[in-house]
Amino acid sequence: MPRTLPTTEELRTRARAALDRVGVTLDEDAGAGPGAGDVQHARTPLTGEVLFPVPATTPAAADEAVADARRAFLTWRSTPAPRRGELVRRLGELLRAHQGDLADLVTIEAGKIRSEALGEVQEMIDICDFAVGLSRQLYGRTIASERPGHRLAETWHPLGVVGVISAFNFPCAVWSWNTAVALACGDTVVWKPSELTPLISLACARLLERAAADVGAPDGVHRLLIGDRAVGERLVDDFRVALVSATGSTRMGREVGPRVAARFGRSLLELGGNNAAIVAPSADLDLTVRGIVFAAAGTAGQRCTTLRRLIAHRDIADALVARLTAAYAQLPIGDPFDEATLVGPLISAAALDRMQEAVARAQAEGGKVLVGGGRRLADVAPDAAYVEPVVVRMGAQTGVVREETFAPILYVMTYETLEEAIALHNDVPQGLSSSIFTRDQAEAELFLSAEGSDCGIANVNIGTSGAEIGGAFGGEKETGGGRESGSDAWRAYMRSATNTVNYSGRLALAQNISFL
Ligand code: UN1
């Protein structure tokens, strides 16, 4: 087990070096644009300590940023889409060249282990590739007109300024899903990242700024707002922001959605998940255990796709739980830069408090802790939050199980019939990701059918987390209904127009109407 951690000073040096290679200088003007005044503090969950002060965006500068993005939109929307793709291609090249630097910043600020941090940057590279292709595939349809000599068609146009609000746990990939696609679609972007991850945000913004300069795109295609909730609220309420794409808690989405709707803006919400896996009697238990441990304990339980509920058939539940507890007991927890580590720190001491409260509630609601839950490295780093992922066996899906706690807690329940398992699976307010582990094809198909999982993501023999960018990402119910990333999620970033063209030389009205 790793017993040592890097010091805050070592992390500062490493962050400074990565920022320097990317082209960010941490000074009064760094990234926050004109009018920078207040300061925000970059921290690292590795030690729980402050790294650097970062200039925050003032409200006036935030308004100016939206104005810049709006101005840039007026030229960007008329730039041919394949040329817009060149900006995204250049961004992808820069992301490839700086994959290690960006991964360093993700580890330092979000606490991800090395391979997951590199994986997050890989998602950015992949979505850039996807969006470059998309820039030649923004297809509309032609529709058979009911009138002779008429053509009916659907055209897709850029939407406007897209406001991106992102969370600490995917501090750069979620930005890239939105930004790469929005730019290809002809939109411009104003980004309000999590307050907890300003450094990686400055690095991404700088690389995009460099890409824009390299290909001659307007500089205002992207603006970064460093700040707290008040800065995010300006984006939400600004009528010049056509789409607000927000990732975060259901509580945040409950505020953002109605406020954007009140001004008839569009919103795309990626909110909480409370993802479950059903493990059927025929499941391959070796594969299942590995799939579960990555999904439940990976990223220290801090993905919106993290596996939080396990619904195991009663005939295999004990065997499964025995293997799981053995695997959990071996998990290397500690320094995420150490190649052997699989579980890094929670983002903050407050996150640890919430985890401990949830475990205590689960116990009060009849749950039994089977493994984990202890704090680690408190002597070395008293301000950090290293914790053992925990497995709690529950007699029923009680109140706490139906809530999302953003920590590595896996609640285990049992079932007898698949119908019962699916009912339990769907009986939570959230609807993001889901899995079934089975070798019975009929069971798998039922789970994927309209009567099965009610989530936006439904998997077979693979865990709930770690989706590829090629599919649409998002979920139902309190998860918010948005779809981002691949497939045809791009349509949310454009507006469609229906065109009727009469080339007949005669006026023919639809629905056989006679007039004049
Ligand atoms: C998130 O946790 O906000 O499917 C996004 C996954 C990742 C994205 C998670 N590709 O786990």
Side-chain angles (χ1 to χ4, degrees):
M1 291 283 160
R3 288 292 309 151
T4 55
L5 293 171
T7 64
T8 303
E9 194 46 46
E10 284 163 352
L11 295 169
R12 243 179 233 128
T13 305
R14 193 161 180 165
R16 230 181 246 122
L19 288 166
D20 192 50
R21 285 190 292 269
V22 165
V24 175
T25 314
L26 276 182
D27 60 24
E28 285 299 305
D29 301 323
D38 285 357
V39 151
Q40 201 180 322
H41 288 98
R43 295 178 166 271
T44 176
L46 274 64
T47 61
E49 289 171 359
V50 170
L51 293 167
F52 307 110
V54 176
T57 312
T58 61
D63 287 347
E64 193 48 46
V66 176
D68 291 345
R70 177 70 202 169
R71 255 191 309 276
F73 172 69
L74 300 180
T75 50
W76 194 237
R77 68 180 174 184
S78 312
T79 305
R83 298 242 343 251
R84 301 194 299 246
E86 288 167 18
L87 170 60
V88 179
R89 183 187 306 123
R90 182 68 192 130
L91 174 63
E93 286 168 359
L94 292 172
L95 294 173
R96 273 188 175 84
H98 290 285
Q99 186 165 13
D101 296 326
L102 297 170
D104 274 2
L105 295 171
V106 170
T107 297
I108 290 169
E109 276 190 311
K112 289 194 187 186
I113 62 168
R114 185 75 183 158
S115 74
E116 290 197 55
L118 286 166
E120 172 157 7
V121 183
Q122 189 60 46
E123 278 199 42
M124 300 212 279
I125 294 167
D126 294 343
I127 196 73
C128 285
D129 283 354
F130 178 91
V132 173
L134 181 66
S135 71
R136 291 182 182 269
Q137 298 176 83
L138 300 169
Y139 300 140
R141 286 178 282 219
T142 45
I143 299 143
S145 169
E146 64 193 50
R147 287 169 284 186
H150 284 62
R151 184 166 66 82
L152 190 56
E154 162 197 289
T155 320
W156 288 89
H157 296 301
L159 193 59
V161 177
V162 175
V164 177
I165 297 175
S166 59
F168 80 85
N169 67 322
F170 268 82
C172 49
V174 168
W175 166 75
S176 72
W177 300 348
N178 283 284
T179 302
V181 170
L183 291 173
C185 289
D187 302 323
T188 57
V189 173
V190 181
W191 181 24
K192 155 67 178 85
S194 162
E195 294 162 70
L196 301 171
T197 53
L199 302 182
I200 184 71
S201 314
L202 288 165
C204 291
R206 177 72 187 121
L207 291 179
L208 180 47
E209 186 181 65
R210 282 172 54 188
D214 289 350
V215 303
D219 153 85
V221 289
H222 185 256
R223 284 286 181 266
L224 171 65
L225 310 180
I226 295 287
D228 57 12
R229 188 193 152 95
V231 170
E233 284 176 353
R234 294 189 91 87
L235 268 189
V236 168
D237 293 332
D238 193 323
F239 69 95
R240 296 168 298 177
V241 178
L243 169 70
V244 175
S245 175
T247 302
S249 66
T250 295
R251 195 165 49 83
M252 178 273 284
R254 228 186 271 289
E255 285 190 41
V256 168
R259 278 170 75 160
V260 176
R263 60 174 177 82
F264 295 98
R266 286 197 202 174
S267 58
L268 195 168
L269 301 175
E270 299 286 356
L271 312 175
N274 190 356
N275 317 296
I278 294 174
V279 185
S282 66
D284 170 341
L285 284 194
D286 283 337
L287 177 149
T288 303
V289 168
R290 294 181 59 211
I292 290 171
V293 177
F294 172 67
T299 333
Q302 300 172 112
R303 289 192 189 218
C304 52
T305 49
T306 289
L307 178 63
R308 309 200 181 280
R309 299 179 294 134
L310 192 61
I311 304 169
H313 192 274
R314 65 169 187 182
D315 290 352
I316 48 100
D318 289 342
L320 178 64
V321 161
R323 291 203 199 193
L324 269 180
T325 49
Y328 266 60
Q330 309 274 313
L331 282 173
I333 301 161
D335 174 11
F337 277 119
D338 184 329
E339 297 286 334
T341 299
L342 294 181
V343 181
L346 291 183
I347 190 68
S348 63
L352 178 61
D353 290 345
R354 285 191 289 270
M355 175 174 172
Q356 287 170 339
E357 278 163 30
V359 172
R361 261 182 74 197
Q363 287 171 307
E365 291 172 10
K368 187 167 175 296
V369 173
L370 302 179
V371 66
R375 193 170 168 192
R376 296 274 184 89
L377 296 166
D379 48 343
V380 190
D383 296 323
Y386 292 87
V387 69
E388 297 161 357
V390 61
V391 179
V392 189
R393 189 133 182 186
M394 299 299 299
Q397 187 153 271
T398 61
V400 73
V401 180
R402 300 178 80 255
E403 287 173 20
E404 179 191 48
T405 302
F406 220 58
I409 306 173
L410 181 63
Y411 301 110
V412 183
M413 294 162 286
T414 54
Y415 76 93
E416 277 186 60
T417 66
L418 186 58
E419 287 66 27
E420 185 197 332
I422 291 173
L424 200 58
H425 175 280
N426 290 346
D427 186 24
V428 293
Q430 312 83 353
L432 179 56
S433 186
S434 59
S435 313
I436 188 167
F437 289 89
T438 181
R439 282 186 283 202
D440 179 327
Q441 193 186 355
E443 284 187 336
E445 292 294 340
L446 182 70
F447 182 73
L448 301 180
S449 77
E451 296 164 46
S453 162
D454 62 1
C455 292
I457 299 172
N459 299 336
V460 177
N461 292 330
I462 184 81
T464 51
S465 67
E468 301 177 17
I469 58 94
F473 184 93
E476 301 304 322
K477 303 191 290 186
E478 288 191 0
T479 303
R483 291 294 184 278
E484 288 176 359
S485 193
S487 185
D488 61 357
W490 62 270
R491 290 173 181 227
Y493 300 81
M494 300 196 84
R495 63 183 176 87
S496 74
T498 301
N499 311 132
T500 305
V501 179
N502 173 10
Y503 59 92
S504 70
R506 297 176 43 242
L507 189 73
L509 300 177
Q511 298 90 39
N512 300 320
I513 290 173
S514 319
F515 198 87
L516 212 66

